[in-house]
């Protein structure tokens, strides 16, 4: 896989996080926030109740109290991390949030080991259930990493200096499948040789220990790099940094993963370093770019340049490069059909870019022919979604869909009825038919509530990050309610 850099936020304003985290991954120190302090207090209270579980009389009451605390903790973090759509009348955000989408951005949160120990490991699970892709802990704090009790693939062991012992790395790999090392000014002059050596150590010490090849992440501060290299020319700074990042990224192979994380980079620094890891055989130096919807649907084929990548990271909109105009193409400036940018990826060979976006507009259309995609209108569930939205706006006389929109009881009854028929279907064809019915009525409910197919995809992706699971038993009161409807 092609290795590309991602940002580590240490001193940047939180309002800056969303824009440049569009490279798909970021690292954040969350422990200084007020939300973290509140969640930590709840997790400590949860841990303090654990001894009461041995008391038969108080066991059920204690479980309920712990469940409530855990749910409140996860909910508070999800709200803090998530996209901030709440604004006051003056356009200012009501609450401070990270303004990120954890369902599509891999967020790593740094955690103090002492907090993990004091919460009996609960804090790490809360962060992962709230959408974090991994937690980052000091690689020396083995007790804390053990206490976390999370999958090795979700733990990053971090060392603040490159002069780390081989045994220290080996011990950390018992709990983590990623090793993170911060580079200092002294490391810069011979950084390629240093990282090569560290990569070989990580690979050697991980033998028979990790189910997947471990990843080495090196943290690099742009300002430290510039000072160490004696670069004062503003125009050459970001270009030189990008060249260094490209060299380090190439050290990784299919089996030896090397990543670079830039500490508090600007959009220009990250954009140049990110695109500097791409390849192209075009004489104009442009990168072939596939534009996709949130669920992976291809909307069209365009081209990107380094300057358009930077422009995309500077805002929240997709910006491409127009070959005919010879400059930036800010999608939607003329038509109003702009695109909210979620993520930029590069393929396994490094020669094709993908933009994941949400298409906006009075009628969402990517193509200049006013169709959703450049291959015409969509089919399947997306087509159903568009038709239902059209019916919600203006339905023809006698429309059954309009009747469902207007009659909440009918829509509820049909959802229950079709779900029961699906559960009893006994052939492939019958299952497919009943599934189609359920999807139709479910989409009617969604469109009526203003929920899109992409919203559901986001929830599914975020749930996949959870490390705790409910038992999933059926709920008798729901079964009774459903039976009452079916007996009508």
């Amino acid at each position: 896989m092609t290795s590309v850099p991602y940002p580590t936020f240490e001193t940047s304003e939180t309002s800056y996080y969303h824009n440049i985290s569009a490279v798909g991954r970021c690292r954040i120190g969350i422990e200084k926030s007020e939300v973290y302090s509140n969640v930590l207090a709840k997790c400590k209270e949860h841990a303090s109740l654990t001894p009461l579980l041995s008391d038969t009389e108080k066991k059920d009451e204690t479980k309920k109290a712990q469940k409530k605390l855990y749910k409140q903790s996860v909910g508070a973090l999800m709200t803090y991390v998530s996209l901030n759509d709440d604004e006051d009348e003056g356009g200012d955000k009501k609450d401070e949030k990270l303004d990120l989408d954890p369902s599509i951005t891999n967020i790593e949160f740094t955690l103090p080991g002492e907090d993990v120990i004091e919460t009996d490991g609960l804090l790490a699970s809360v962060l992962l259930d709230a959408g974090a892709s991994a937690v980052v802990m000091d690689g020396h704090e083995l007790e804390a990493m053990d206490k976390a009790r999370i999958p090795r693939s979700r733990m990053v062991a971090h060392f603040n200096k490159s002069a780390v012992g081989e045994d220290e790395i080996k011990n950390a790999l018992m709990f983590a499948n990623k090793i993170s090392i911060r580079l200092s000014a002294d490391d810069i002059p011979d950084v390629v040789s240093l990282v090569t050596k560290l990569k070989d150590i990580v690979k050697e010490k991980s033998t028979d220990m990790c189910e997947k090849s471990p990843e080495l992440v090196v943290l690099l501060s742009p300002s430290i790099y510039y000072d160490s290299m004696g670069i004062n020319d503003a125009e050459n700074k970001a270009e030189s940094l990008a060249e260094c990042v490209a060299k380090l990224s190439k050290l990784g192979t299919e089996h030896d993963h090397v990543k670079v994380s830039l500490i508090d980079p600007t959009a220009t620094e990250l954009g140049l370093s990110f695109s500097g890891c791409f390849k192209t055989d075009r004489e104009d130096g442009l990168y072939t770019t596939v534009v996709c919807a949130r669920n992976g649907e291809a909307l069209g084929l365009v081209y990107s340049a380094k300057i358009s990548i930077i422009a995309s990271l500077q805002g929240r909109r997709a910006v491409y490069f127009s070959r005919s105009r010879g400059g930036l193409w800010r999608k939607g400036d003329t038509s109003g059909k702009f695109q909210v940018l979620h993520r930029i990826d590069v393929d396994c060979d490094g020669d094709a870019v993908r933009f994941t976006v949400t298409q906006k507009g009075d009628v969402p259309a990517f193509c200049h022919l006013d169709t959703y995609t450049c291959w015409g209108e969509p089919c399947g569930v997306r087509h159903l979604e568009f038709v239902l939205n059209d019916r919600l706006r203006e339905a023809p006389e006698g429309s059954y869909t309009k009747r469902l929109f207007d009659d909440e009881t009918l829509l509820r009854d049909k959802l229950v009825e079709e779900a029961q028929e699906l559960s009893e279907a006994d052939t492939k064809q019958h299952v497919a038919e009943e599934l189609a019915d359920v999807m139709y009525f479910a989409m009617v409910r969604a469109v009526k509530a203003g929920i899109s197919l992409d919203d559901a995809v986001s929830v599914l992706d975020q749930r996949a990050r959870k490390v705790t699971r409910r038992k999933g038993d059926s709920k008798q009161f729901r079964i009774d309610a459903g039976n009452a409807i079916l007996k009508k």
Side-chain angles (χ1 to χ4, degrees):
M1 290 294 293
T2 304
S3 177
V4 290
Y6 67 97
T8 287
F9 299 115
E10 290 187 349
T11 60
S12 302
E13 292 293 328
T14 57
S15 59
Y16 188 55
Y17 291 0
H18 177 87
N19 295 14
I20 64 175
S21 64
V23 295
R25 181 174 174 181
C26 64
R27 182 179 298 186
I28 301 172
I30 194 177
E31 62 269 23
K32 294 181 180 179
S33 69
E34 182 178 347
V35 172
Y36 177 83
S37 298
N38 294 335
V39 168
L40 177 60
K42 291 183 182 297
C43 288
K44 287 181 179 180
E45 183 180 353
H46 184 290
S48 70
L49 294 175
T50 299
L52 298 179
L53 293 174
S54 59
D55 187 330
T56 306
E57 295 183 358
K58 296 182 178 180
K59 184 175 182 179
D60 290 342
E61 180 182 346
T62 301
K63 280 186 175 181
K64 288 182 180 179
Q66 287 187 320
K67 181 179 179 180
K68 182 178 180 180
L69 288 167
Y70 192 86
K71 188 174 182 179
Q72 289 175 341
S73 298
V74 172
L77 282 171
M78 288 180 68
T79 300
Y80 176 63
V81 171
S82 63
L83 296 176
N84 197 342
D85 295 324
D86 298 326
E87 295 185 352
D88 62 21
E89 295 180 357
D92 296 324
K93 295 175 182 177
K94 295 179 181 179
D95 301 304
E96 185 63 35
K97 296 184 181 181
L98 296 183
D99 206 15
L100 299 173
D101 183 352
S103 71
I104 199 168
T105 300
N106 295 325
I107 307 171
E108 301 169 353
F109 284 123
T110 58
L111 273 184
E114 60 183 339
D115 291 348
V116 175
I117 293 175
E118 290 181 6
T119 60
D120 193 29
L122 185 72
L123 187 58
S125 295
V126 166
L127 282 170
L128 296 183
D129 281 355
S133 64
V135 295
V136 184
M137 298 179 62
D138 189 321
H140 296 104
E141 297 184 329
L142 302 180
E143 180 187 357
M145 288 194 286
D146 184 30
K147 204 78 169 178
R149 294 187 292 275
I150 61 175
R152 187 186 286 119
S153 60
R154 309 290 293 275
M155 176 74 77
V156 182
H158 177 70
F159 297 94
N160 268 323
K161 59 181 181 179
S162 60
V164 57
E166 294 185 16
D167 287 341
E168 291 174 297
I169 291 178
K170 181 178 180 179
N171 290 335
L173 285 170
M174 293 173 59
F175 307 102
N177 202 36
K178 299 179 180 68
I179 297 295
S180 168
I181 297 177
R182 188 185 188 107
L183 300 177
S184 67
D186 294 335
D187 298 325
I188 303 303
D190 198 22
V191 67
V192 174
S193 297
L194 172 65
V195 174
T196 300
K197 179 181 177 181
L198 290 171
K199 179 195 73 170
D200 292 341
I201 292 174
V202 170
K203 180 180 180 181
E204 177 188 351
K205 297 303 177 182
S206 66
T207 304
D208 300 326
M209 190 179 297
C210 301
E211 63 276 10
K212 295 177 63 176
S213 298
E215 179 181 87
L216 171 64
V217 180
V218 289
L219 272 63
L220 177 61
S221 166
S223 60
I224 289 179
Y225 173 80
Y226 301 145
D227 291 342
S228 299
M229 298 297 290
I231 303 174
N232 298 314
D233 186 348
E235 294 184 4
N236 293 330
K237 281 184 175 182
E239 289 284 358
S240 177
L241 177 66
E243 291 176 3
C244 176
V245 171
K247 290 178 182 178
L248 295 177
S249 297
K250 288 178 181 177
L251 295 177
T253 67
E254 184 177 347
H255 302 291
D256 304 318
H257 306 296
V258 177
K259 294 279 188 181
V260 178
S261 183
L262 297 177
I263 300 173
D264 292 322
T266 64
T268 297
E269 290 168 336
L270 184 60
L272 285 178
S273 295
F274 189 75
S275 57
C277 298
F278 302 169
K279 296 184 297 185
T280 179
D281 56 6
R282 293 178 57 89
E283 292 183 359
D284 55 15
L286 299 180
Y287 310 113
T288 304
T289 302
V290 180
V291 184
C292 294
R294 182 64 179 76
N295 68 345
E297 295 168 285
L299 303 182
L301 182 70
V302 297
Y303 292 90
S304 296
K306 291 181 179 180
I307 58 172
S308 65
I309 297 288
I310 293 171
S312 296
L313 295 179
Q314 287 174 333
R316 297 189 177 190
R317 288 176 51 182
V319 182
Y320 310 113
F321 193 89
S322 171
R323 293 170 296 163
S324 60
R325 303 171 193 165
L328 293 179
W329 169 26
R330 300 181 185 276
K331 174 65 177 171
D333 274 2
T334 302
S335 65
K337 295 180 169 69
F338 66 95
Q339 295 173 337
V340 175
L341 173 64
H342 299 300
R343 178 167 175 153
I344 307 174
D345 293 287
V346 61
D347 74 344
C348 56
D349 295 323
D351 57 5
V353 181
R354 178 180 67 183
F355 271 54
T356 300
V357 304
T358 292
Q359 181 65 54
K360 296 292 187 177
D362 49 353
V363 176
F366 175 80
C367 186
H368 70 288
L369 297 177
D370 217 27
T371 55
Y372 185 61
T373 82
C374 287
W375 293 277
E377 295 296 351
C379 58
V381 181
R382 182 70 77 181
H383 174 68
L384 173 62
E385 179 184 38
F386 284 1
V387 171
L388 293 177
N389 273 293
D390 184 60
R391 293 290 186 272
L392 185 63
R393 289 189 296 267
E394 185 177 1
E397 186 176 348
S399 167
Y400 179 64
T401 299
K402 181 66 164 58
R403 183 183 167 198
L404 290 172
F405 282 139
D406 294 340
D407 191 336
E408 291 186 4
T409 300
L410 175 62
L411 177 55
R412 181 202 62 187
D413 291 353
K414 292 301 295 182
L415 277 167
V416 173
E417 173 191 326
E418 297 299 338
Q420 189 230 17
E421 291 179 1
L422 173 60
S423 70
E424 296 178 354
D426 55 4
T427 67
K428 287 186 176 180
Q429 181 62 28
H430 193 194
V431 170
E433 291 169 351
E434 297 302 336
L435 175 60
D437 288 343
V438 169
M439 292 174 73
Y440 164 71
F441 288 104
M443 285 303 299
V444 171
R445 179 68 185 91
V447 169
K448 182 179 179 180
I451 299 301
S452 71
L453 185 61
D454 288 351
D455 293 327
V457 170
S458 176
V459 172
L460 287 172
D461 287 343
Q462 187 159 344
R463 285 180 178 173
R465 297 191 187 279
K466 298 183 69 173
V467 291
T468 59
R469 293 288 185 269
R470 293 179 295 181
K471 291 175 65 177
D473 294 336
S474 60
K475 299 176 181 177
Q476 189 57 48
F477 76 97
R478 291 293 186 192
I479 301 297
D480 294 341
N483 286 334
I485 291 172
L486 293 170
K487 289 178 182 178
K488 284 186 174 182

